Amino acid sequence: MAEVILSGLHKAFGQTKAIQDVSLTIGDGEFIVLLGPTGAGKTTLLRLVAGLEQPDAGTVAIGGWDATTTPPSDRDVAFVFQQYSLYPHLTVYENLAFPLRSPIRAMKEADIDAKVREIAALVRIDDKLNNQATRLSGGQMQRVAIARALVRSPSIYLMDEPLSSLDAKLRGDLRVELKRIQTVLGATILYVTHDQIEAMTLATRIGVMDRGQLVQVGTPREIYTDPVNMYVASRLGMPAINFLPLSVFPGLSAPSAAKTIGLRTEHLKIARSDSASAMGKVTWVEHLGDQDYLHIDVQNHDVVTLSDPDSGLKTGDMVRLTPALPLYFDGAGNRVRA
Amino acid sequence: MTGNHIPDALANRLATATPPKLAARVRGLSDKAIAWLFITPTMILLLAINIFPLIWTIRLSFTDFRANRTNAVVKGIGLDNYTSILTDPDIWAAMQSTAHFVFWTITMQTLIGFTLAYLLDRKFRGHGFWTTIILIPMMLSPAVVGNFWRFLYQPQIGLFNYIISFFTGVDPSSFEMIGSVTLAPWSIIIVDTWMWTPYVMLICLAGLRSIPDYIYEAAEVDRASTWRQFWSITIPMALPFIMLAVLFRGIENFKMFDMVNLLTSGGPGSTTEVASITLKREAFEKWRTGFSSAFAIILFVTVFGLANIYVKALNQVKSR
Ligand SMILES: Nc1ncnc2c1ncn2[C@@H]1O[C@H](COP(=O)(O)OP(=O)(O)OP(=O)(O)O)[C@@H](O)[C@H]1O
Ligand SMILES: [Mg+2]
């Protein structure tokens, strides 16, 4: 395991600026999760670390030495590809043994066998070891791809949406397993996901990407409670944060530059109210099983919050909303601190 | 019978695909009748030019029929033709020449063809241009190629002898490719390789292009050297294509006639007399039609049998 330092990375594909001035230090044993919409450049960043792409500018340092021009095979990184990239002509067993058979390692066949079986059991693919890699379901292929990375102990694991095609139960199990492996082995991991829960539970730090740029890096808590702009704020939280023009709440003592107010469930006090003091109307209560989403119409803005089960609010009720320590943003969408 | 389902399905598809106007015009015919209407001409053609001659040849192979004496009484002679072929040393010599020829052309064409394909797959600048240049021999008519190489092989003025002498220092007129007993088989192998290596290359290139880049990326990250990637990814994944090229060339060269006929006509002596040349001599010079029919059947069964075994192996590799 090693520390990986990216500094000033740029990468363009023709006119598309896939990565713009990204600097990030992934500490030894750190689990960094990259969040961002499709096309933000997450895969490209991983490929730059692996050496599958060459940066236009900037450097990649792995374990203290400059690896910017080092070919992938000499970087000692493990990659779980978004599209699995299994060796189609080999069995699952041979796919897992492939990285271990590298002459650089000179591993004994018995050790290889033990390792393959151990990891296969870990990701629960041990009953498919003799299957052709192409004769698997999507979820099984994905587990083989994860296992092929886990058999190794590289300087860094690069994982591109590794749990995306698994069912909820298995995804939860493997999430816990990954976290355990990372803590036990002290593995350094750079991980891409679209799943908030994965980001919140796995990451030591989250990096939020937008159009090739790393907008904010911080602990899951920081990203959630202290986002630098509206874009980052909207990445985390279920239901998503509500943005309203400040004019909706005229009496509020907001910072002078503030134009928009960001409200999560915990930023709102909702009370049933009638007559003149009412500001909104409950338009819909969405039952999601363990929790209810409350949709409130506030001057034609749809505000969605988690409903307090004891509130007894129902469709058609008139309510009064009081912001409590909300987030403020200026006209450009950047955070304004009170 | 499954045979009935195919026209049915076809007819259904035709019926749904037929525009209303046409459907109205052919009304009165059932869907099945329409299907048969379309299929019958092809069937008749197939029967007339493939199946019938085959059956006729089998029939003739048990007789002493001679095509230049159509008035003579034709006698059935049982398996006599077959036994005399299988005990004829000349026939066995011809089979041996054929095997030698097939083996060396395939070996050389596969090795050179695959190497060229591997180089062209590097996608260097101008690889499209070089691909086109390499393909030219394959596009020429065998008659042109044969006469052209006869000229090149000329010991006094031929370019081939000149080039060999340039590199080895031997006197160009001291050897004769076509005229020499030892060199004549190689003169044909060289020409066939020159002409058909591009074909093998093209199939190998298709095979190499079918290997997605991400497989190599995964291998690269898994720390496999270029050498290891070649042996554990490139070769196994391109193997079905290579085997297909070998099959095509093998069948083709087993019955190779034109190039041999043009270059050596089987000579000198009978050193380059491959099976197809023998067959032609028996059938159209000695006019032993019954005998040559039997020989043709034996050749057919041999190719068919070998090809079948080979295709089984190919499918096994492909389904891996
Ligand atoms: N090989 C390439 N050639 C040209 N453009 C590319 C290439 N790879 C990526 N891009 C472009 O770079 C941008 C970033 O792509 P990237 O694959 O990194 O996105 P991503 O964040 O991984 O998205 P997703 O969540 O959909 O996987 C996109 O606009 C994409 O079109
Ligand atoms: Mg991606």
Side-chain angles (χ1 to χ4, degrees):
Chain A
M1 302 297 134
E3 183 186 56
V4 174
I5 301 171
L6 315 176
S7 41
L9 284 179
H10 284 266
K11 179 71 190 178
F13 297 105
Q15 292 300 307
T16 316
K17 292 194 177 109
I19 293 291
Q20 292 182 69
D21 195 22
V22 168
S23 298
L24 176 66
T25 300
I26 306 151
D28 195 358
E30 229 191 338
F31 198 134
I32 293 206
V33 172
L34 293 175
L35 272 182
T38 175
K42 307 177 297 294
T43 300
T44 307
L45 190 61
L46 256 53
R47 289 172 62 85
L48 284 167
V49 177
L52 295 171
E53 302 286 355
Q54 277 296 305
D56 299 331
T59 57
V60 176
I62 299 174
W65 46 277
D66 185 354
T68 313
T69 54
T70 311
S73 53
D74 296 340
R75 292 196 186 195
D76 196 17
V77 299
F79 206 132
V80 181
F81 291 89
Q82 198 168 0
Q83 73 281 25
Y84 318 143
S85 302
L86 303 182
Y87 305 120
H89 58 297
L90 300 179
T91 61
V92 170
Y93 184 97
E94 288 302 322
N95 263 277
L96 301 191
F98 190 90
L100 300 177
R101 294 241 161 87
S102 174
I104 308 167
R105 252 171 267 275
M107 243 174 115
K108 282 206 224 54
E109 199 55 38
D111 297 342
I112 292 177
D113 186 69
K115 190 78 194 171
V116 167
R117 288 179 195 284
E118 176 203 331
I119 300 294
L122 191 71
V123 301
R124 289 179 226 155
I125 199 77
D126 39 341
D127 55 328
K128 299 281 180 202
L129 278 176
N130 294 319
N131 267 49
Q132 201 63 34
T134 44
R135 296 196 184 143
L136 295 172
S137 75
Q140 290 166 341
M141 286 191 202
Q142 196 156 41
R143 275 178 281 159
V144 177
I146 297 170
R148 192 176 59 183
L150 291 182
V151 291
R152 302 175 47 191
S153 319
S155 36
I156 183 168
Y157 289 102
L158 304 166
M159 302 192 174
D160 202 347
E161 304 185 30
L163 307 182
S164 61
S165 41
L166 305 180
D167 62 77
K169 166 92 173 64
L170 192 58
R171 187 188 302 202
D173 292 352
L174 281 183
R175 199 171 62 215
V176 174
E177 204 52 60
L178 270 181
K179 189 67 189 171
R180 193 184 66 78
I181 291 168
Q182 193 256 339
T183 348
V184 171
L185 300 179
T188 313
I189 301 181
L190 185 57
Y191 187 104
V192 171
T193 184
H194 288 283
D195 186 308
Q196 282 192 41
I197 301 174
E198 271 171 41
M200 293 301 282
T201 55
L202 290 175
T204 46
R205 282 191 297 157
I206 291 177
V208 181
M209 291 197 71
D210 180 24
R211 280 165 287 168
Q213 284 171 318
L214 200 53
V215 190
Q216 188 177 1
V217 183
T219 62
R221 199 74 227 148
E222 278 166 16
I223 299 288
Y224 184 81
T225 58
D226 196 14
V228 296
N229 58 26
M230 286 166 68
Y231 175 79
V232 175
S234 61
R235 289 286 113 200
L236 292 182
M238 289 214 293
I241 189 167
N242 301 287
F243 294 115
L244 295 175
L246 198 59
S247 55
V248 172
F249 301 97
L252 220 57
S253 61
S256 55
K259 289 275 183 297
T260 307
I261 180 167
L263 298 162
R264 298 191 197 274
T265 299
E266 60 270 29
H267 298 141
L268 274 172
K269 283 204 181 69
I270 301 169
R272 190 180 283 125
S273 153
D274 25 55
S275 74
S277 62
M279 302 171 63
K281 183 175 163 191
V282 178
T283 54
W284 184 24
V285 183
E286 204 176 352
H287 300 287
L288 300 177
D290 55 341
Q291 53 191 24
D292 293 347
Y293 279 12
L294 212 55
H295 292 251
I296 304 167
D297 179 74
V298 181
Q299 298 177 15
N300 292 326
H301 299 284
D302 188 28
V303 173
V304 186
T305 77
L306 274 181
S307 98
D308 181 349
D310 305 327
S311 70
L313 287 169
K314 55 187 188 302
T315 308
D317 284 353
M318 302 301 286
V319 290
R320 224 177 89 82
L321 299 114
T322 322
L325 300 171
L327 306 173
Y328 296 105
F329 301 93
D330 67 13
N334 290 320
R335 179 84 181 281
V336 185
R337 282 160 218 275
Chain B
M1 260 288 286
T2 48
N4 280 334
H5 295 296
I6 297 156
D8 268 353
L10 204 70
N12 284 340
R13 234 182 307 154
L14 276 173
T16 46
T18 311
K21 220 171 160 190
L22 185 66
R25 237 186 292 148
V26 294
R27 213 173 345 197
L29 289 173
S30 74
D31 286 352
K32 213 166 183 169
I34 295 171
W36 280 111
L37 201 67
F38 281 111
I39 293 167
T40 313
T42 317
M43 295 255 214
I44 290 172
L45 209 66
L46 198 70
L47 280 171
I49 65 173
N50 268 335
I51 312 293
F52 172 73
L54 183 66
I55 293 168
W56 200 248
T57 309
I58 294 175
R59 215 186 80 110
L60 287 180
S61 73
F62 297 108
T63 67
D64 65 351
F65 177 66
R66 299 173 78 93
N68 62 340
R69 287 187 214 150
T70 39
N71 294 330
V73 185
V74 179
K75 272 205 317 280
I77 53 169
L79 289 170
D80 279 8
N81 282 331
Y82 289 90
T83 42
S84 56
I85 287 167
L86 294 176
T87 51
D88 186 341
D90 287 350
I91 296 279
W92 283 108
M95 293 302 263
Q96 221 162 30
S97 316
T98 310
H100 178 265
F101 178 65
V102 169
F103 175 81
W104 283 108
T105 49
I106 286 183
T107 307
M108 287 172 61
Q109 289 172 24
T110 309
L111 284 179
I112 303 173
F114 185 82
T115 309
L116 285 175
Y118 190 74
L119 293 177
L120 285 175
D121 195 40
R122 305 290 97 189
K123 301 204 181 79
F124 54 87
R125 263 188 65 195
H127 71 270
F129 172 77
W130 286 109
T131 311
T132 315
I133 294 286
I134 292 172
L135 290 184
I136 289 176
M138 181 181 110
M139 302 176 192
L140 301 174
S141 140
V144 173
V145 171
N147 284 320
F148 172 66
W149 273 89
R150 277 181 78 89
F151 189 64
L152 291 179
Y153 280 146
Q154 252 284 324
Q156 276 79 39
I157 53 163
L159 200 60
F160 185 85
N161 284 33
Y162 174 76
I163 289 173
I164 295 292
S165 84
F166 184 85
F167 283 109
T168 61
V170 296
D171 179 14
S173 52
S174 69
F175 66 99
E176 226 180 319
M177 287 303 287
I178 292 176
S180 143
V181 174
T182 46
L183 293 178
W186 290 99
S187 73
I188 300 168
I189 292 170
I190 289 170
V191 177
D192 192 73
T193 302
W194 178 81
M195 186 163 176
W196 291 110
T197 296
Y199 178 81
V200 176
M201 182 203 81
L202 214 55
I203 297 178
C204 289
L205 195 58
L208 292 174
R209 293 268 157 89
S210 76
I211 307 172
D213 283 344
Y214 63 73
I215 302 287
Y216 288 113
E217 290 186 342
E220 183 90 350
V221 171
D222 282 341
R223 316 195 73 180
S225 60
T226 314
W227 180 250
R228 184 159 178 244
Q229 287 178 31
F230 180 79
W231 287 108
S232 60
I233 291 171
T234 311
I235 292 289
M237 289 192 75
L239 193 59
F241 289 82
I242 300 171
M243 287 179 76
L244 205 63
V246 167
L247 176 70
F248 289 159
R249 287 316 303 155
I251 292 177
E252 198 65 22
N253 280 357
F254 193 89
K255 56 197 177 75
M256 160 68 89
F257 176 79
D258 43 11
M259 203 61 71
V260 182
N261 198 39
L262 278 159
L263 282 168
T264 65
S265 320
S270 61
T271 40
T272 58
E273 195 172 309
V274 292
S276 60
I277 298 279
T278 311
L279 187 60
K280 178 224 167 195
R281 290 219 167 122
E282 293 294 338
F284 302 109
E285 286 171 18
K286 300 182 185 165
W287 295 102
R288 299 166 73 188
T289 312
F291 180 86
S292 50
S293 294
F295 190 30
I297 296 296
I298 289 176
L299 288 180
F300 173 74
V301 170
T302 311
V303 178
F304 195 77
L306 288 177
N308 251 316
I309 296 169
Y310 188 85
V311 167
K312 285 227 172 67
L314 178 66
N315 281 335
Q316 209 131 55
V317 169
K318 237 173 48 187
S319 68
R320 259 193 339 201

